[in-house]
Amino acid sequence: PMLLSPSHENVLVIGLGSGVTVGSVGTYPARCITVVELEPAVVEASRHFSHVNSRILKDPRLRVMTYDARNYLLVTPERFDVIISEPSNPWMAGVSNLFTREFFIMGSQRLKPAGVFCQWLQLYKISPENLRSIFRTFHEIFPHLLVFQSSEYDLLILGSFASLPIDLGRLRARLSQPRVKKDLERIQVKSVRDILARFVFGTQEVPAFVKKAPINTDDNALLEFSTPKTLYVDTSEANFKELSKYSRGATIYLRH
């Protein structure tokens, strides 16, 4: 999202973990970076990963808020250019409500008009039906989508209220920034081509993929109670095959 968003002055990251994602955000010239982490012990543990998270906890632009993410979104008056949500897995109580329609609405209300919301989603231990449900729930709130497969088992879903083209000029410029370039080389991303190779599909393909999948809400707790059924099932290959059926390439989303 930092490569593709129109602006990234004010960024919110939900979930600190090891701090690697926030550290990557810090390689860009953001003015303010806020991370919301529920568990204070995770903040302390992240210090053990300073060799891979660019010592982000010492960055003066960073604010660490040890709050519940939903509560934070409800009360903060701030608007963000980019929101990155990477909680734990959606079958966990207390985490599953970060994949609901209500949560995505909260996030959308804290975005600037051209802001980008990025949702991490795994391909493993989740059925194709539940994968479609998450996509449909997300798309109900964000009309414009771009989806990338960041690794063998992970997706990044980018959503926005504004049109979200892949601006090749902006992409090249940001990839050429020394700190960004060095950071992305760790995962073998060295060019625009490496980014486009990870593209899955976008706004036009999503309706056909989601079909009539049910929407995940606070009230029905669909994911919380259905995803545990595939907790010990290898679903990643099946999900990859389903996504591949609808992939048409990035060409129609490119802006030269």
PDB file of all heavy atoms in Angstrom, residues 159-179:
ATOM      1  N   GLY A 159      -7.882  -1.698  -0.628  1.00  0.00           N
ATOM      2  CA  GLY A 159      -9.194  -1.160  -0.920  1.00  0.00           C
ATOM      3  C   GLY A 159      -9.228   0.344  -0.785  1.00  0.00           C
ATOM      4  O   GLY A 159      -8.496   0.922   0.024  1.00  0.00           O
ATOM      5  N   SER A 160     -10.098   0.985  -1.578  1.00  0.00           N
ATOM      6  CA  SER A 160     -10.211   2.436  -1.533  1.00  0.00           C
ATOM      7  C   SER A 160     -11.578   2.860  -2.040  1.00  0.00           C
ATOM      8  O   SER A 160     -12.241   2.130  -2.789  1.00  0.00           O
ATOM      9  CB  SER A 160      -9.116   3.079  -2.377  1.00  0.00           C
ATOM     10  OG  SER A 160      -9.199   4.482  -2.347  1.00  0.00           O
ATOM     11  N   PHE A 161     -12.005   4.060  -1.646  1.00  0.00           N
ATOM     12  CA  PHE A 161     -13.217   4.642  -2.211  1.00  0.00           C
ATOM     13  C   PHE A 161     -12.922   5.272  -3.566  1.00  0.00           C
ATOM     14  O   PHE A 161     -13.808   5.422  -4.394  1.00  0.00           O
ATOM     15  CB  PHE A 161     -13.788   5.716  -1.271  1.00  0.00           C
ATOM     16  CG  PHE A 161     -14.423   5.141  -0.041  1.00  0.00           C
ATOM     17  CD1 PHE A 161     -13.930   5.444   1.213  1.00  0.00           C
ATOM     18  CD2 PHE A 161     -15.521   4.301  -0.129  1.00  0.00           C
ATOM     19  CE1 PHE A 161     -14.517   4.910   2.354  1.00  0.00           C
ATOM     20  CE2 PHE A 161     -16.107   3.758   1.009  1.00  0.00           C
ATOM     21  CZ  PHE A 161     -15.603   4.070   2.248  1.00  0.00           C
ATOM     22  N   ALA A 162     -11.676   5.681  -3.762  1.00  0.00           N
ATOM     23  CA  ALA A 162     -11.255   6.292  -5.029  1.00  0.00           C
ATOM     24  C   ALA A 162     -10.687   5.229  -5.953  1.00  0.00           C
ATOM     25  O   ALA A 162     -10.299   4.142  -5.518  1.00  0.00           O
ATOM     26  CB  ALA A 162     -10.208   7.372  -4.757  1.00  0.00           C
ATOM     27  N   SER A 163     -10.656   5.534  -7.237  1.00  0.00           N
ATOM     28  CA  SER A 163     -10.042   4.639  -8.202  1.00  0.00           C
ATOM     29  C   SER A 163      -8.609   4.345  -7.772  1.00  0.00           C
ATOM     30  O   SER A 163      -7.899   5.230  -7.281  1.00  0.00           O
ATOM     31  CB  SER A 163     -10.052   5.295  -9.587  1.00  0.00           C
ATOM     32  OG  SER A 163      -9.396   4.485 -10.529  1.00  0.00           O
ATOM     33  N   LEU A 164      -8.177   3.112  -7.955  1.00  0.00           N
ATOM     34  CA  LEU A 164      -6.881   2.687  -7.432  1.00  0.00           C
ATOM     35  C   LEU A 164      -6.040   2.068  -8.550  1.00  0.00           C
ATOM     36  O   LEU A 164      -5.788   0.851  -8.564  1.00  0.00           O
ATOM     37  CB  LEU A 164      -7.105   1.688  -6.295  1.00  0.00           C
ATOM     38  CG  LEU A 164      -5.924   1.353  -5.374  1.00  0.00           C
ATOM     39  CD1 LEU A 164      -5.382   2.610  -4.714  1.00  0.00           C
ATOM     40  CD2 LEU A 164      -6.357   0.340  -4.319  1.00  0.00           C
ATOM     41  N   PRO A 165      -5.585   2.884  -9.503  1.00  0.00           N
ATOM     42  CA  PRO A 165      -4.748   2.340 -10.579  1.00  0.00           C
ATOM     43  C   PRO A 165      -3.337   2.054 -10.085  1.00  0.00           C
ATOM     44  O   PRO A 165      -2.904   2.576  -9.062  1.00  0.00           O
ATOM     45  CB  PRO A 165      -4.741   3.473 -11.610  1.00  0.00           C
ATOM     46  CG  PRO A 165      -4.873   4.707 -10.787  1.00  0.00           C
ATOM     47  CD  PRO A 165      -5.791   4.336  -9.640  1.00  0.00           C
ATOM     48  N   ILE A 166      -2.630   1.232 -10.826  1.00  0.00           N
ATOM     49  CA  ILE A 166      -1.216   0.977 -10.546  1.00  0.00           C
ATOM     50  C   ILE A 166      -0.428   2.003 -11.360  1.00  0.00           C
ATOM     51  O   ILE A 166      -0.227   1.846 -12.565  1.00  0.00           O
ATOM     52  CB  ILE A 166      -0.825  -0.454 -10.924  1.00  0.00           C
ATOM     53  CG1 ILE A 166      -1.683  -1.462 -10.136  1.00  0.00           C
ATOM     54  CG2 ILE A 166       0.660  -0.704 -10.640  1.00  0.00           C
ATOM     55  CD1 ILE A 166      -1.474  -2.908 -10.556  1.00  0.00           C
ATOM     56  N   ASP A 167      -0.029   3.068 -10.699  1.00  0.00           N
ATOM     57  CA  ASP A 167       0.668   4.173 -11.357  1.00  0.00           C
ATOM     58  C   ASP A 167       2.140   3.795 -11.523  1.00  0.00           C
ATOM     59  O   ASP A 167       2.911   3.802 -10.559  1.00  0.00           O
ATOM     60  CB  ASP A 167       0.532   5.442 -10.515  1.00  0.00           C
ATOM     61  CG  ASP A 167       1.039   6.687 -11.231  1.00  0.00           C
ATOM     62  OD1 ASP A 167       2.080   6.598 -11.885  1.00  0.00           O
ATOM     63  OD2 ASP A 167       0.379   7.737 -11.112  1.00  0.00           O
ATOM     64  N   LEU A 168       2.539   3.450 -12.746  1.00  0.00           N
ATOM     65  CA  LEU A 168       3.881   2.941 -12.981  1.00  0.00           C
ATOM     66  C   LEU A 168       4.959   3.982 -12.691  1.00  0.00           C
ATOM     67  O   LEU A 168       6.028   3.645 -12.171  1.00  0.00           O
ATOM     68  CB  LEU A 168       4.005   2.445 -14.424  1.00  0.00           C
ATOM     69  CG  LEU A 168       3.142   1.237 -14.784  1.00  0.00           C
ATOM     70  CD1 LEU A 168       3.336   0.853 -16.239  1.00  0.00           C
ATOM     71  CD2 LEU A 168       3.462   0.053 -13.883  1.00  0.00           C
ATOM     72  N   GLY A 169       4.687   5.244 -12.988  1.00  0.00           N
ATOM     73  CA  GLY A 169       5.660   6.292 -12.703  1.00  0.00           C
ATOM     74  C   GLY A 169       5.895   6.443 -11.215  1.00  0.00           C
ATOM     75  O   GLY A 169       7.044   6.523 -10.752  1.00  0.00           O
ATOM     76  N   ARG A 170       4.818   6.490 -10.461  1.00  0.00           N
ATOM     77  CA  ARG A 170       4.924   6.590  -9.002  1.00  0.00           C
ATOM     78  C   ARG A 170       5.609   5.350  -8.429  1.00  0.00           C
ATOM     79  O   ARG A 170       6.450   5.440  -7.528  1.00  0.00           O
ATOM     80  CB  ARG A 170       3.530   6.756  -8.388  1.00  0.00           C
ATOM     81  CG  ARG A 170       3.526   6.832  -6.865  1.00  0.00           C
ATOM     82  CD  ARG A 170       2.101   6.768  -6.343  1.00  0.00           C
ATOM     83  NE  ARG A 170       1.341   7.936  -6.776  1.00  0.00           N
ATOM     84  CZ  ARG A 170       0.028   7.932  -6.961  1.00  0.00           C
ATOM     85  NH1 ARG A 170      -0.671   6.824  -6.801  1.00  0.00           N
ATOM     86  NH2 ARG A 170      -0.598   9.046  -7.332  1.00  0.00           N
ATOM     87  N   LEU A 171       5.268   4.190  -8.961  1.00  0.00           N
ATOM     88  CA  LEU A 171       5.840   2.935  -8.485  1.00  0.00           C
ATOM     89  C   LEU A 171       7.354   2.909  -8.706  1.00  0.00           C
ATOM     90  O   LEU A 171       8.122   2.552  -7.804  1.00  0.00           O
ATOM     91  CB  LEU A 171       5.168   1.770  -9.201  1.00  0.00           C
ATOM     92  CG  LEU A 171       5.379   0.353  -8.664  1.00  0.00           C
ATOM     93  CD1 LEU A 171       5.058   0.266  -7.185  1.00  0.00           C
ATOM     94  CD2 LEU A 171       4.537  -0.641  -9.450  1.00  0.00           C
ATOM     95  N   ARG A 172       7.797   3.311  -9.876  1.00  0.00           N
ATOM     96  CA  ARG A 172       9.241   3.339 -10.168  1.00  0.00           C
ATOM     97  C   ARG A 172       9.962   4.313  -9.241  1.00  0.00           C
ATOM     98  O   ARG A 172      11.050   4.016  -8.738  1.00  0.00           O
ATOM     99  CB  ARG A 172       9.474   3.718 -11.624  1.00  0.00           C
ATOM    100  CG  ARG A 172       9.068   2.660 -12.633  1.00  0.00           C
ATOM    101  CD  ARG A 172       9.566   3.000 -14.026  1.00  0.00           C
ATOM    102  NE  ARG A 172       9.054   2.048 -15.012  1.00  0.00           N
ATOM    103  CZ  ARG A 172       7.989   2.275 -15.768  1.00  0.00           C
ATOM    104  NH1 ARG A 172       7.333   3.425 -15.661  1.00  0.00           N
ATOM    105  NH2 ARG A 172       7.572   1.368 -16.641  1.00  0.00           N
ATOM    106  N   ALA A 173       9.351   5.477  -9.045  1.00  0.00           N
ATOM    107  CA  ALA A 173       9.983   6.498  -8.204  1.00  0.00           C
ATOM    108  C   ALA A 173      10.149   6.007  -6.777  1.00  0.00           C
ATOM    109  O   ALA A 173      11.201   6.201  -6.150  1.00  0.00           O
ATOM    110  CB  ALA A 173       9.165   7.782  -8.241  1.00  0.00           C
ATOM    111  N   ARG A 174       9.138   5.365  -6.256  1.00  0.00           N
ATOM    112  CA  ARG A 174       9.212   4.902  -4.870  1.00  0.00           C
ATOM    113  C   ARG A 174      10.140   3.704  -4.725  1.00  0.00           C
ATOM    114  O   ARG A 174      10.826   3.571  -3.714  1.00  0.00           O
ATOM    115  CB  ARG A 174       7.801   4.597  -4.355  1.00  0.00           C
ATOM    116  CG  ARG A 174       6.961   5.864  -4.198  1.00  0.00           C
ATOM    117  CD  ARG A 174       5.567   5.605  -3.699  1.00  0.00           C
ATOM    118  NE  ARG A 174       4.848   6.873  -3.550  1.00  0.00           N
ATOM    119  CZ  ARG A 174       3.559   6.968  -3.228  1.00  0.00           C
ATOM    120  NH1 ARG A 174       2.836   5.862  -3.018  1.00  0.00           N
ATOM    121  NH2 ARG A 174       2.995   8.159  -3.107  1.00  0.00           N
ATOM    122  N   LEU A 175      10.167   2.850  -5.727  1.00  0.00           N
ATOM    123  CA  LEU A 175      11.086   1.711  -5.678  1.00  0.00           C
ATOM    124  C   LEU A 175      12.547   2.144  -5.760  1.00  0.00           C
ATOM    125  O   LEU A 175      13.441   1.409  -5.345  1.00  0.00           O
ATOM    126  CB  LEU A 175      10.781   0.744  -6.823  1.00  0.00           C
ATOM    127  CG  LEU A 175       9.557  -0.167  -6.660  1.00  0.00           C
ATOM    128  CD1 LEU A 175       9.246  -0.872  -7.963  1.00  0.00           C
ATOM    129  CD2 LEU A 175       9.778  -1.174  -5.548  1.00  0.00           C
ATOM    130  N   SER A 176      12.776   3.333  -6.275  1.00  0.00           N
ATOM    131  CA  SER A 176      14.146   3.817  -6.411  1.00  0.00           C
ATOM    132  C   SER A 176      14.666   4.515  -5.159  1.00  0.00           C
ATOM    133  O   SER A 176      15.859   4.814  -5.066  1.00  0.00           O
ATOM    134  CB  SER A 176      14.244   4.778  -7.600  1.00  0.00           C
ATOM    135  OG  SER A 176      13.531   5.979  -7.337  1.00  0.00           O
ATOM    136  N   GLN A 177      13.788   4.772  -4.192  1.00  0.00           N
ATOM    137  CA  GLN A 177      14.231   5.396  -2.952  1.00  0.00           C
ATOM    138  C   GLN A 177      15.166   4.427  -2.220  1.00  0.00           C
ATOM    139  O   GLN A 177      14.817   3.263  -2.009  1.00  0.00           O
ATOM    140  CB  GLN A 177      13.026   5.748  -2.074  1.00  0.00           C
ATOM    141  CG  GLN A 177      12.106   6.798  -2.677  1.00  0.00           C
ATOM    142  CD  GLN A 177      10.832   6.997  -1.879  1.00  0.00           C
ATOM    143  OE1 GLN A 177      10.723   6.567  -0.730  1.00  0.00           O
ATOM    144  NE2 GLN A 177       9.856   7.654  -2.484  1.00  0.00           N
ATOM    145  N   PRO A 178      16.349   4.867  -1.814  1.00  0.00           N
ATOM    146  CA  PRO A 178      17.368   3.949  -1.279  1.00  0.00           C
ATOM    147  C   PRO A 178      16.891   3.051  -0.146  1.00  0.00           C
ATOM    148  O   PRO A 178      17.152   1.838  -0.173  1.00  0.00           O
ATOM    149  CB  PRO A 178      18.473   4.906  -0.810  1.00  0.00           C
ATOM    150  CG  PRO A 178      18.331   6.092  -1.700  1.00  0.00           C
ATOM    151  CD  PRO A 178      16.855   6.244  -1.934  1.00  0.00           C
ATOM    152  N   ARG A 179      16.208   3.602   0.850  1.00  0.00           N
ATOM    153  CA  ARG A 179      15.786   2.779   1.986  1.00  0.00           C
ATOM    154  C   ARG A 179      14.705   1.784   1.587  1.00  0.00           C
ATOM    155  O   ARG A 179      14.692   0.635   2.038  1.00  0.00           O
ATOM    156  CB  ARG A 179      15.293   3.666   3.131  1.00  0.00           C
ATOM    157  CG  ARG A 179      16.375   4.505   3.789  1.00  0.00           C
ATOM    158  CD  ARG A 179      15.833   5.182   5.029  1.00  0.00           C
ATOM    159  NE  ARG A 179      15.480   4.205   6.058  1.00  0.00           N
ATOM    160  CZ  ARG A 179      14.657   4.463   7.072  1.00  0.00           C
ATOM    161  NH1 ARG A 179      14.078   5.655   7.192  1.00  0.00           N
ATOM    162  NH2 ARG A 179      14.390   3.535   7.968  1.00  0.00           N
TER     163      ARG A 179
END
